[in-house]
């Protein structure tokens, strides 16, 4: 086994073999050692973590559903992850969400992200093969009643670590008790600066919520809303992005809710050049439809169950309008 002092030699051999595509005989000749010694050195390089081999299985896509959704909705790009069952939905959507982000990312880009379980799956799929100068910023306040693994601050930090990127933190709740409290937060220089960065994002990666989805219900029930406001929102909303609500036609639904949210507004999200919306599960269909109609997303990454529910809902809607 190569001694610790030979680590530089292990790196050199590994670069020749894996990066320069030289054969083991060629590496041996270049370094002046035997071929069997090169084989042992490459084994040592892997065991010491100098070489890390990753098997990447790209998520299968349902292109027929992708085309069908583009026929029915005014969205530029659609990716539908074909998964065997609901257990695989998040992992499949996460892998495709990572691909969508990688396709759009450029050096020195700023990525704004929201939070949620589906975004957590995207972050889980991220590897380190990204570009220099990337900045990750939260689109909404990071502290929520949701699981800590899917809140904004944790996702921002994890994503930045995986990508070797810099990041900003928004030390504020996503929803506060009153408009006065919100005003106090958003005028704090540290928070105002992050909100300004978020508005200037080159790419936004957002989870799409829907009425009765767990994250949406946690958000509403944890906000301590008066019964009248809660009932009005539940009656009108189809979905939510960045903790803000809209109806099935993409109209923003407020009822005083927006005055309590710390984050960029949906109108501001519309102005970001590319917004990738991710959703898994059939229950997210109303939120997906409203998000596209409202112009809040320019690309969809969906599970096959969600995509099929979207198509069925739109086909049913067409049938009702035709009758």
């Amino acid at each position: 086994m190569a001694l610790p002092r030979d680590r530089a030699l292990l790196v050199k051999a590994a670069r020749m073999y894996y990066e320069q595509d030289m054969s083991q005989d060629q590496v041996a000749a270049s370094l002046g050692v035997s071929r069997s010694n090169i084989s042992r050195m490459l084994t040592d390089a892997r065991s010491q973590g100098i070489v890390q081999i990753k098997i990447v299985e790209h998520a299968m896509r349902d292109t027929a559903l992708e085309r069908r959704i583009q026929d029915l909705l005014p969205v530029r790009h659609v990716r539908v992850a074909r998964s065997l069952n609901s257990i695989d939905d998040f992992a499949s959507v996460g892998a495709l969400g990572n691909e969508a982000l990688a396709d759009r990312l450029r050096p020195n880009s700023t990525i704004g992200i929201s939070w949620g379980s589906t975004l957590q799956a995207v972050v889980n799929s991220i590897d380190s093969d990204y570009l220099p100068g990337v900045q990750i910023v939260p689109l909404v306040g990071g502290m929520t009643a949701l699981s800590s693994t899917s809140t904004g601050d944790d996702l921002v930090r994890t994503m930045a670590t995986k990508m070797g990127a810099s990041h900003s933190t928004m030390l504020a709740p996503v929803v506060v008790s009153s408009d006065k409290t919100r005003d106090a937060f958003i005028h704090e220089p540290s928070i105002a600066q992050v909100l300004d960065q978020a508005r200037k994002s080159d790419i936004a990666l957002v989870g799409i919520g829907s009425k009765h989805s767990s994250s949406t219900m946690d958000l509403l029930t944890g906000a301590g809303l008066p019964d009248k406001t809660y009932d009005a929102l539940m009656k009108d909303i189809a979905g939510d992005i960045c903790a803000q609500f809209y109806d099935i036609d993409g109209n923003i639904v407020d009822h005083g809710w927006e005055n309590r949210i710390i984050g960029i507004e949906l109108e501001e999200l519309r102005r970001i050049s590319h917004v990738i919306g991710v959703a898994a599960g059939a229950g997210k269909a109303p939120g997906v439809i409203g998000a596209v109609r409202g112009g809040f997303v320019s690309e969809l990454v969906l599970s096959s169950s969600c995509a099929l529910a979207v198509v069925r809902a739109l086909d049913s809607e067409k049938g009702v309008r035709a009758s």
Side-chain angles (χ1 to χ4, degrees):
M1 182 174 180
L3 297 173
R5 66 175 179 271
D6 296 324
R7 182 178 177 86
L9 190 60
L10 296 184
V11 172
K12 188 173 183 179
R15 287 193 180 280
M16 289 179 175
Y17 184 72
Y18 289 105
E19 294 184 351
Q20 299 173 28
D21 204 26
M22 295 171 63
S23 69
Q24 291 191 20
D25 287 333
Q26 289 172 321
V27 176
S30 177
L31 298 180
V33 298
S34 68
R35 185 186 185 282
S36 60
N37 198 10
I38 291 299
S39 179
R40 288 192 295 270
M41 291 171 68
L42 294 174
T43 299
D44 289 346
R46 290 178 61 180
S47 66
Q48 293 182 33
I50 295 170
V51 173
Q52 298 180 8
I53 296 176
K54 178 178 61 179
I55 298 173
V56 178
E57 180 182 355
H58 292 283
M60 294 177 63
R61 292 173 60 173
D62 192 322
T63 55
L65 271 177
E66 291 173 357
R67 289 192 298 268
R68 185 72 179 124
I69 288 176
Q70 286 185 299
D71 288 340
L72 295 168
L73 285 174
V75 60
R76 283 182 283 171
H77 307 280
V78 181
R79 299 173 194 240
V80 175
R82 181 183 293 148
S83 53
L84 298 176
N85 51 58
S86 60
I87 296 175
D88 297 327
D89 274 356
F90 285 102
S92 299
V93 172
L96 276 190
N98 179 34
E99 287 183 15
L101 179 61
D103 285 350
R104 301 292 167 189
L105 199 57
R106 300 292 181 269
N108 305 310
S109 295
T110 297
I111 307 169
I113 67 169
S114 61
W115 43 259
S117 299
T118 316
L119 273 193
Q120 176 71 59
V122 176
V123 172
N124 289 345
S125 295
I126 286 174
D127 54 38
S128 59
D129 299 328
Y130 279 86
L131 302 173
V134 173
Q135 168 87 1
I136 315 294
V137 300
L139 297 172
V140 291
M143 294 181 284
T144 76
L146 304 178
S147 166
S148 62
T149 59
S150 54
T151 57
D153 279 349
D154 288 297
L155 289 184
V156 166
R157 283 193 295 268
T158 303
M159 189 174 182
T161 298
K162 284 191 160 194
M163 296 173 66
S166 58
H167 72 280
S168 300
T169 301
M170 195 182 300
L171 298 177
V174 64
V175 57
V176 293
S177 59
S178 68
D179 54 353
K180 291 183 179 179
T181 304
R182 174 184 179 272
D183 288 344
F185 268 107
I186 66 173
H187 287 102
E188 281 291 322
S190 60
I191 295 174
Q193 180 181 8
V194 177
L195 284 172
D196 187 55
Q197 290 175 327
R199 295 182 188 105
K200 295 175 181 176
S201 297
D202 301 295
I203 306 167
L205 184 62
V206 299
I208 299 175
S210 204
K211 188 190 313 193
H212 302 308
S213 67
S214 58
S215 60
T216 303
M217 295 305 296
D218 286 344
L219 188 65
L220 285 169
T221 56
L225 295 171
D227 290 343
K228 183 178 179 180
T229 303
Y230 179 88
D231 292 342
L233 283 168
M234 288 302 294
K235 175 178 176 291
D236 294 337
I237 66 175
D240 63 282
I241 292 175
C242 294
Q244 295 171 76
F245 299 108
Y246 49 86
D247 65 19
I248 195 70
D249 293 315
N251 302 306
I252 296 171
V253 176
D254 190 348
H255 297 303
W257 174 262
E258 281 195 352
N259 294 334
R260 297 175 54 184
I261 299 299
I262 299 174
I264 70 167
E265 299 175 2
L266 289 177
E267 293 284 2
E268 295 170 328
L269 186 68
R270 280 191 183 120
R271 294 195 283 270
I272 295 175
S273 60
H274 198 85
V275 182
I276 304 169
V278 297
K284 297 292 184 71
V288 170
I289 295 169
V292 173
R293 287 175 170 168
F296 308 129
V297 297
S298 55
E299 177 167 0
L300 291 173
V301 181
L302 309 175
S303 67
S304 53
S305 60
C306 182
L308 186 58
V310 168
V311 169
R312 287 174 173 169
L314 292 170
D315 281 342
S316 176
E317 187 180 86
K318 284 173 61 180
V320 169
R321 289 178 178 175
S323 61

